[in-house]
Amino acid sequence: MSFTELNLSAPVLKAVLECGYTTPTPIQAKAIPEALLGKDLIASAQTGTGKTAAFMLPALERLATLKKGPKGAPRILVLTPTRELASQVTDATRNYGKYLRVRSAVILGGSPYRDQFKALSQPLDLVVATPGRLIDHLDRGSLDLSRVEILVLDEADRMLDMGFQQDVEKITAATPADRQTLLFTATLDQAMTKLAMALLKNPVKIAMAPQGSTSLKIEQRLHVTDNLEHKQRLLEHLVTDGSMNQAIIFSATKRDADRLAQELSSRGHRAAALHGDMTQGARNRTVRDLRNGRVKLLVATDVAARGIDVTGISHVINFDLPKFAEDYVHRIGRTGRAGASGTAISFASGSDALALQRIERYIGQSLPQHVVPGLEPTRGLHPQPRRTSRKPQGGKPVRQQRTYGKTEEGRPQQRRTGNAGRPFGAKPKSEPVVIHRRSR
Ligand code: AMP
């Protein structure tokens, strides 16, 4: 199928072709025709599959029939869980809508109110927003949602995870009941199904990938680590590897992200931190620096990294494993974007055995263990020998083993006990991998 078969109007088609897209991705091929017919959609698709265009192109088509609405009353509303994703969607809107005269506003927490009041005091076609600040504007009366024709909930599962359910319900209640709703989610668990039943009318279901599936273009590796110092030495080895173009390194806490970014910078790497405690201006600058290559290593927490779409990211490194198995899939989806291939490397020590087990069950495969000669772990995680590759990444073993001068004791205890998170929903494709901790 080609884009010309999708019945897009000339200005939208021209913009899409100028983006260099030749064929619609599978989610686009399925979602766009249904959305153009005005149907509600619930689409589950992996991150990086082209889902933004899947909802934005039909939304822009609606705007191709121009209507002059009143001030501060958009016809299209896109809700996203994070500011980064909202910025991403806004960029996509600009690209895909460049030949339409779309008046859009982005309403994000952490950004000055002044600009938002100004944008909302003018006629508007499209608003991209995070829920908290949008509610704020609704309460202040600076925004009118009574003319919304299409409501898009992007990464709706994440909005629920982040506790936005009530906000989403309040926002939807302020939109007309006969609106079209397009809901995109990576996971389809019970809570999501319930939300969908409440918000959608006879939705067309589009399931692009089974829950927990990961892209074949991303090579996944596990490095078993002994302690923090071992992780730091491995990290130093990996980031000096010639095959690494740009990497996102995930840490468990904001403080760890700052500390690790500082340590990497002090060792001469172009590194920066990205987390929710930074001002929006600083976050935008950092993402810009990543995009233009000024930053090579981004040390991030889960919330901040959501929505980052930078094609140069060749590696994702889970310096700390994520708390929730779903986040593993989102994290590694930061690499292997737009058809490129990528490498996702996870560090895990004995105390991570349970978290690792949950991830492996969720993605339905066990992560192949790699070792770097000279940096072998002294302890294992598994009772059975795992599939082990002794290929040195980047060639040579590290000769000079540097340390960052810190010990495991100096590190906050990681938060993972029992199955305190959400139900995973997906059944493991095989028997769960049994992971035992081995004492020395
Ligand atoms: P998304 O899943 O919307 O974040 O998109 C992931 C990446 O795929 C972005 O860099 C898009 O620019 C790119 N993309 C989206 N649709 C297509 C397409 N039909 N052909 C090639 N690249 C695309």
Side-chain angles (χ1 to χ4, degrees), residues 3 20-25 28 46-53 88 96 309 311 337-338:
F3 273 103
Y21 304 170
T22 46
T23 44
T25 64
Q28 291 164 0
Q46 254 173 259
T47 179
T49 51
K51 65 183 169 60
T52 314
Q88 201 78 55
Y96 305 146
D309 176 18
T311 35
R337 313 275 303 167

